[in-house]
Amino acid sequence: MNMDSTIKMATKDKPLISIVTVVFNGEKHLEQTIQSVVNQTYKNIEYIIIDGGSTDGTVDIIKKYEDKISYWVSEKDSGIYDAMNKGIDVANGEWINFMNAGDIFFDNNVLESVFHKESLATDNIDLFYSDSITDKNIRYICNKDKRILIHQALIYRLSLHDEIGKYIVVKNITTADYLFFMLAYNYRWHKLNFPISIHDTKGISSGLHTFLQKNAIDLLFGFNGRIKAILYLATHPAYNFIKRKLFR
C-alpha cells in the first residue's frame, strides 16, 4: 500500500481532481490506463488505484509508477462497485472520475480542457459528461436526457456521494453506476463538446442482464411506462434469442 506524503490541495484556479482506477488481474491493460492519467497536462490530480488482490503482474505495474500514485491498495473486495466505493472513501478531490483498467483519457489535454482557468465556470455544474470513443474507434453518442451515459466519460463532484450515497454493492447488480446517475438526474449537468474517454467495451456493463436492470431502473424512475418497458424487452435481440432457445 502507498499513500503519498505530499497532500495535493485545490486552489481557486486549479481544483483537485481525484482519478480512480479499479483493477483486478489487469496486467495486459493497466499500464496504458496509468500512462493516460499521469501524462495529463493538468497536474493537480490525485491518482488512486484500487486493486482487488490481483495474482498476475498487476501489482508490479502499480509499483513501477508508485511515485506518481497518491494512494493504492491491493486486497480482496466484493466486486467492482465495492472497489469503486473504496476509491471514494479515500478521495480528497473536489471532482472525481473513474478511469478503470483498460480505459484511457481521449488525449493528454482532457482535464486541462475541462478545468483550465479561462473556462473555469464550474460553479453551476455538478456533472460534466461527454460522448466516448469505444476501443473499436466508434463514437458512442451520450445523451443525459436519453439516459445514455458511460461512467468513464463523466467527471462529477465528489460531494454528490455525501448527498446521494455511494454505489450499491449487491451480488449480480451491474448497474449501480447507472442507478447513481439516475439519482443525480436533477442535478446540474453539462455536456462537453469533446470526448473524455476511450472505453473498453468488454466490461460488465454490457449484455442482456445489464439491459434488463437498466430497464427496471427506468421504470422505477418513471422514465418508461409499463407498456414501453415491455416493448423494450420484447424487441431486444438478445431477449428474443433466449426466448426462442427456451420455448421452441
Side-chain angles (χ1 to χ4, degrees):
M1 180 187 298
N2 174 67
M3 183 169 288
D4 193 344
S5 60
T6 304
I7 304 299
K8 296 186 177 181
M9 303 292 291
T11 68
K12 182 179 179 180
D13 298 331
K14 292 284 185 182
L16 180 62
I17 318 301
S18 295
I19 307 298
V20 180
T21 293
V22 167
V23 60
F24 177 68
N25 286 345
E27 65 175 342
K28 292 182 180 179
H29 307 292
L30 177 60
E31 190 159 21
Q32 66 174 354
T33 301
I34 292 176
Q35 289 180 350
S36 83
V37 176
V38 302
N39 289 328
Q40 286 292 301
T41 55
Y42 186 92
K43 295 304 180 184
N44 203 20
I45 294 173
E46 173 190 61
Y47 190 27
I48 297 164
I49 298 182
I50 308 295
D51 173 55
S54 292
T55 56
D56 61 0
T58 293
V59 171
D60 292 333
I61 294 171
I62 295 171
K63 289 180 177 179
K64 177 180 175 181
Y65 293 92
E66 197 166 30
D67 63 323
K68 301 181 185 300
I69 298 169
S70 303
Y71 174 93
W72 71 271
V73 66
S74 180
E75 61 186 17
K76 290 187 68 174
D77 54 50
S78 299
I80 187 170
Y81 295 116
D82 183 34
M84 290 169 73
N85 285 342
K86 288 182 179 182
I88 292 165
D89 287 341
V90 299
N92 298 296
E94 181 179 350
W95 300 85
I96 190 168
N97 164 269
F98 286 91
M99 197 62 63
N100 294 334
D103 306 315
I104 60 175
F105 283 106
F106 179 72
D107 61 37
N108 292 342
N109 298 312
V110 166
L111 295 180
E112 187 68 29
S113 298
V114 177
F115 293 105
H116 72 277
K117 182 178 179 180
E118 288 75 13
S119 65
L120 196 65
T122 62
D123 289 348
N124 296 317
I125 298 170
D126 297 311
L127 304 97
F128 289 101
Y129 79 105
S130 74
D131 296 339
S132 185
I133 308 300
T134 74
D135 52 10
K136 298 182 173 95
N137 201 31
I138 298 170
R139 192 179 186 103
Y140 189 92
I141 306 299
C142 293
N143 186 309
K144 175 248 184 179
D145 292 327
K146 293 182 179 180
R147 303 171 306 285
I148 302 172
L149 301 164
I150 297 291
H151 77 247
Q152 299 92 329
L154 278 135
I155 302 170
Y156 60 94
R157 292 187 185 277
L158 180 63
S159 60
L160 292 187
H161 287 292
D162 294 328
E163 300 175 29
I164 297 173
K166 292 184 289 187
Y167 297 111
I168 63 168
V169 180
V170 179
K171 187 177 180 180
N172 295 325
I173 293 294
T174 58
T175 52
D177 51 345
Y178 184 72
L179 175 59
F180 174 80
F181 294 124
M182 291 305 97
L183 289 167
Y185 188 82
N186 291 322
Y187 282 75
R188 300 168 300 180
W189 294 67
H190 176 75
K191 185 173 184 181
L192 300 166
N193 61 8
F194 53 86
I196 291 174
S197 63
I198 299 174
H199 70 273
D200 184 354
T201 56
K202 300 181 289 295
I204 66 168
S205 297
S206 59
L208 179 62
H209 187 64
T210 295
F211 172 82
L212 295 174
Q213 290 183 25
K214 286 185 175 180
N215 194 66
I217 291 169
D218 286 347
L219 187 59
L220 286 169
F221 279 85
F223 292 124
N224 288 341
R226 290 182 180 275
I227 293 176
K228 190 174 182 180
I230 292 169
L231 287 173
Y232 274 172
L233 295 179
T235 58
H236 193 274
Y239 173 83
N240 283 315
F241 175 79
I242 293 171
K243 184 178 179 181
R244 287 196 302 271
K245 290 292 185 181
L246 292 178
F247 300 106
R248 63 184 178 183

